[in-house]
Amino acid sequence: MICCAQVSCDRYGRTNMAHLTPEQVHQRASQIELVIFDVDGVLTDGGIHIGPDGEEYKIFHSRDGLGIKSLSQHNIEVAIVSGRECAAVVHRMEKLGVKHIFQGHEDKQAAFETLLKKLAVSPEKVAFVGDDIPDLHIMRQVGLGIAVADALPEVQQEAHWVTTLAGGRGAAREVCDMIVYELASRSGHGNR
């Protein structure tokens, strides 16, 4: 069973009021039609690896990839929206069957609006997974705003739910598994 924090404090001692109860998280997760992932710090550990030729490399966790494939197999759309551009991201997402790849979007709002329109999905049916300040604007608009465990405290403060695993270390899989489980439970194919 996935555990959801109900109340926590940031590094300044402020109470986190954005978190939902476990029941609210599970209910919202069962309604998700689109999951949007940030890349650096969510699908990777945030490290930037530069080769001798200047090419950028990323390290992705294989379990996260299996989780992303599971979302697609359950008819949940998957997108990535990143402020940076990297050929390795396109290569990895194409291998996973992700069709909606937005890179080089420091202001992620335009990509978010494009996705909503293209997929005809309302914001409350969207989950967004982020870790840093540029992710907050979208996190505040979606039905399920999720921060990875090692996200900035300010991002965790605003999230509806915080994963137990860090970005690039299985956090995406944790999100995928929870959403698929709740979807299956809602349709009568899962056991709680």
Side-chain angles (χ1 to χ4, degrees), residues 88-103:
V89 172
V90 173
H91 180 74
R92 176 68 173 152
M93 293 305 112
E94 286 177 348
K95 285 226 176 251
L96 296 175
V98 175
K99 298 179 213 133
H100 312 289
I101 302 168
F102 294 84
Q103 293 195 93

Side-chain angles (χ1 to χ4, degrees), residues 90-154:
V90 173
H91 180 74
R92 176 68 173 152
M93 293 305 112
E94 286 177 348
K95 285 226 176 251
L96 296 175
V98 175
K99 298 179 213 133
H100 312 289
I101 302 168
F102 294 84
Q103 293 195 93
H105 289 265
E106 289 185 29
D107 176 7
K108 299 177 180 185
Q109 184 65 32
F112 178 61
E113 291 174 7
T114 297
L115 282 164
L116 294 180
K117 185 174 181 180
K118 180 179 181 179
L119 300 173
V121 63
S122 62
E124 50 276 351
K125 304 277 186 178
V126 177
F128 182 87
V129 189
D131 73 313
D132 207 341
I133 300 302
D135 302 323
L136 285 175
H137 189 64
I138 295 175
M139 285 179 67
R140 292 176 181 136
Q141 298 175 66
V142 298
L144 191 56
I146 302 168
V148 295
D150 58 338
L152 289 178
E154 297 82 2

